[in-house]
Amino acid sequence: MGKLIPNKFNLLVVIFVALGSTSCSYGLSVLSSTIGQPSFYRDLNLAPQGEPGYGHTANLIGAMNGLSSAGSAIGAFVASWSADVYGRKRSIQFGALVNIVGAALCAGSVNVAMLLVARFIAGWGIGVLMAGIPMYQAECSTPESRGFMVSMHGVMIAVGYTLSAWIGFGCYFVSAGGSLSSFPWRFPLAFQAAPAVLLLMGSPWIPFSPRWLLQQNRPEEAHEVLRKLHYTNDEIHEITAAKEFYQMQKQLELDRQIKGTTGLFDIFKTKPNRMRAWVGFSLLAGNQFTGVLVIANYGVLIYASLGMKTYMPLLLSGVWVSLAVPGNIFTAFFVDKVGRRLFMLIGLTGLLVVLIFECALQAEYLGTTNAAGQRAAVFFVFLFIFFWSSFLDASQYLYLSEIFPTHIRSQGMAVGMIGLFGADIIVLVAGPIALDVITWKFFLVLIIVTALHLLNVYMLYPETAGRSLEDINAAFGEQVAVRYWHASTEEEQQYAKAIEAEEGHQVHVEQLEKH
């Protein structure tokens, strides 16, 4: 575990900041249980599924999710600026605050219009957090532990989905017991604020990103934070942190020279950066077109259409999202060993096969009384979450957070998140309408886009495992000032001289090669 977890402080920092990840995923999926609460339709004067007027309800449900995604896209764009100007830490604090306000307004909504506005505000906070958290985690991690550490974002996202489903399931029985209270749908909406409140209260304790501090010409603070995050008991002279810090300094000097020739919106000014932007955007957007959020948000509707009654759709939805937790933990332990690229290819191939079978089964058995065929369709919905959570969920945020150099990482995260939330607007707005009108044919769209996405990943996505954030420049055809990963003898000598000058003690090349 030594390489995966340099020290307890590092682990605590990345897990604590991921409380925001839990708040985000909870907020993104809470409507999936809300639409399973009878009191939600009654209190807001909406027609439930199967009754006249449901078409209008489906449009409004799509709008609620669409506005949340639109707010998230704007929030991600705001984070591209705030994370550079005020720091990753301050940006995360701001996102948590907006998320709390949005959750409170959602829970207190007195009509559909207020809920629509509240969903937009909550989505804004989600966008800021989703852009900032994995970026912060990546910049606080060692090259060897980055896969594990940033995967905590995915793990805590899965926790948020799980909390949302089971809280919604438990609240269902309030209405089932005959109560006319609005608690079953208001309390789940309010609970989105709980992880964000904890994050905001404890956030003064977490450090600023060492790479952001270095960008702000605060090298002493950056070095001290890096030492605290990456100190290990088996290192007398903290050689690993010293090597990382030296590489960060040299790469920042080189990046500033490049930035001096590009100017504003650097992410689109050079060919390597444009390739990074496409990879980040297409990764997050393409993953959403596999249909994951359609199932996560409208699973209740899918299970109901497959013959599940009363509380069973909510129960199945809870079990489905709960399976994402062990899947993301699997990613945390193995993505550094297997590699990001292979993980994504395995996941997308598995999802493509699952979608093909699901489409075929729904085409044959949807609307029939064939219980065995409908249960088979439910099985493939569950097989979907295995491939998604084990190979794609955490991997996508990890990969996005590491392919951009430090001076444009916040812009890159924003581009990727805009891809994610832009795709969400399309699939979540279209989802309930498509499931109601064209039913199983909606899966044909997901199959085609997933196949194209798989080809895109195979052709264009380089491997990044094991490399420092600065080393990854080479994978996109750019110069690395001094390599950390597979450093040459000359580069190790360069490190040794720099550490001797900084630390005041002699360091041999053989010592450096062990790290």
Side-chain angles (χ1 to χ4, degrees):
M1 294 289 288
K3 285 191 173 182
L4 294 181
I5 306 174
N7 59 59
K8 292 179 182 178
F9 178 70
N10 197 334
L11 180 63
L12 287 172
V13 166
V14 299
I15 291 178
F16 180 79
V17 78
L19 283 169
S21 313
T22 298
S23 182
C24 289
S25 57
Y26 185 98
L28 288 170
S29 65
V30 67
L31 211 61
S32 65
S33 62
T34 303
I35 60 178
Q37 309 293 349
S39 59
F40 171 73
Y41 298 95
R42 185 182 61 251
D43 291 345
L44 296 181
N45 298 314
L46 299 173
Q49 189 178 23
E51 293 188 8
Y54 178 72
H56 177 63
T57 300
N59 290 337
L60 288 174
I61 291 172
M64 291 171 193
N65 277 318
L67 282 168
S68 174
S69 296
S72 297
I74 293 173
F77 182 77
V78 170
S80 71
W81 167 78
S82 63
D84 278 344
V85 176
Y86 298 107
R88 286 51 163 148
K89 174 178 172 176
R90 295 284 184 251
S91 187
I92 289 169
Q93 289 172 323
F94 172 72
L97 180 60
V98 175
N99 206 355
I100 293 166
V101 173
L105 291 173
C106 283
S109 294
V110 296
N111 52 45
V112 171
M114 182 176 177
L115 183 56
L116 289 170
V117 173
R119 289 283 290 172
F120 177 84
I121 295 171
W124 186 14
I126 288 171
V128 174
L129 290 173
M130 290 287 279
I133 290 169
M135 172 168 55
Y136 176 85
Q137 291 171 323
E139 293 184 350
C140 289
S141 304
T142 67
E144 297 82 8
S145 70
R146 193 171 60 246
F148 180 86
M149 293 296 186
V150 182
S151 290
M152 294 301 105
H153 178 61
V155 171
M156 296 297 276
I157 280 178
V159 169
Y161 283 133
T162 303
L163 285 171
S164 173
W166 288 115
I167 289 174
F169 178 70
C171 288
Y172 170 83
F173 292 97
V174 175
S175 296
S179 172
L180 298 178
S181 169
S182 61
F183 178 87
W185 68 270
R186 291 191 187 276
F187 175 74
L189 288 172
F191 191 82
Q192 177 185 347
V197 168
L198 292 175
L199 172 60
L200 193 60
M201 289 175 60
S203 59
W205 163 77
I206 65 173
F208 287 96
S209 160
R211 286 175 168 84
W212 179 79
L213 288 170
L214 198 57
Q215 271 191 311
Q216 304 304 307
N217 298 314
R218 294 156 66 178
E220 293 82 9
E221 292 178 67
H223 199 180
E224 183 58 35
V225 169
L226 197 69
R227 281 174 165 170
K228 192 173 182 180
L229 288 168
H230 297 174
Y231 169 78
T232 59
N233 291 328
D234 59 350
E235 283 191 340
I236 299 174
H237 299 303
E238 302 175 356
I239 292 174
T240 300
K243 282 182 67 174
E244 288 182 80
F245 186 71
Y246 179 73
Q247 186 194 38
M248 286 162 53
Q249 284 183 305
K250 301 304 290 184
Q251 192 65 42
L252 180 61
E253 293 173 8
L254 182 61
D255 289 344
R256 280 175 171 167
Q257 293 175 15
I258 297 172
K259 185 176 175 65
T261 64
T262 55
L264 194 63
F265 300 115
D266 308 280
I267 196 168
F268 301 115
K269 293 295 179 66
T270 66
K271 184 177 179 180
N273 284 348
R274 287 192 293 271
M275 175 56 72
R276 290 183 177 100
W278 167 250
V279 167
F281 180 88
S282 64
L283 171 61
L284 274 294
N287 281 354
Q288 300 315 299
F289 276 106
T290 63
V292 60
L293 277 188
V294 172
I295 300 174
N297 282 270
Y298 305 128
V300 169
L301 304 181
I302 293 172
Y303 301 133
S305 70
L306 291 171
M308 305 298 139
K309 305 296 183 183
T310 63
Y311 64 83
M312 190 56 69
L314 281 170
L315 176 61
L316 290 174
S317 182
V319 174
W320 190 84
V321 295
S322 298
L323 294 174
V325 176
N328 277 276
I329 292 173
F330 173 85
T331 299
F333 280 101
F334 292 101
V335 71
D336 280 318
K337 296 177 182 178
V338 177
R340 286 63 154 147
R341 177 181 163 84
L342 183 55
F343 251 59
M344 291 187 285
L345 290 173
I346 292 171
L348 287 170
T349 302
L351 291 186
L352 182 60
V353 172
V354 167
L355 288 171
I356 290 170
F357 275 95
E358 182 66 25
C359 183
L361 287 166
Q362 288 207 22
E364 185 69 24
Y365 299 113
L366 199 66
T368 71
T369 57
N370 191 316
Q374 291 174 341
R375 287 181 186 131
V378 171
F379 166 78
F380 279 99
V381 171
F382 274 77
L383 190 58
F384 183 103
I385 194 60
F386 165 76
F387 283 106
W388 171 262
S389 65
S390 299
F391 297 100
L392 287 170
D393 198 0
S395 301
Q396 61 182 339
Y397 302 110
L398 166 62
Y399 196 76
L400 178 67
S401 69
E402 61 188 9
I403 60 175
F404 298 95
T406 299
H407 70 286
I408 61 165
R409 187 165 295 116
S410 61
Q411 294 179 37
M413 291 297 298
V415 167
M417 288 298 137
I418 288 170
L420 183 150
F421 294 118
D424 284 351
I425 293 171
I426 297 171
V427 298
L428 291 179
V429 171
I433 302 168
L435 291 171
D436 184 49
V437 178
I438 63 174
T439 62
W440 64 269
K441 297 182 184 70
F442 185 44
F443 285 88
L444 291 174
V445 178
L446 303 179
I447 288 168
I448 293 169
V449 179
T450 301
L452 293 174
H453 182 38
L454 174 61
L455 182 63
N456 181 51
V457 172
Y458 178 78
M459 297 293 293
L460 298 178
Y461 289 33
E463 183 55 70
T464 57
R467 299 149 177 85
S468 70
L469 292 174
E470 288 71 25
D471 284 327
I472 293 171
N473 280 7
F476 290 91
E478 286 190 325
Q479 183 182 351
V480 178
V482 54
R483 289 177 297 175
Y484 178 94
W485 187 71
H486 290 176
S488 66
T489 302
E490 291 76 16
E491 287 169 323
E492 295 290 9
Q493 290 173 343
Q494 187 177 346
Y495 277 124
K497 290 179 181 178
I499 295 171
E500 286 174 17
E502 176 71 23
E503 306 292 339
H505 55 74
Q506 189 172 11
V507 178
H508 299 286
V509 172
E510 292 78 8
Q511 289 178 275
L512 291 170
E513 290 174 344
K514 292 178 182 179
H515 300 278

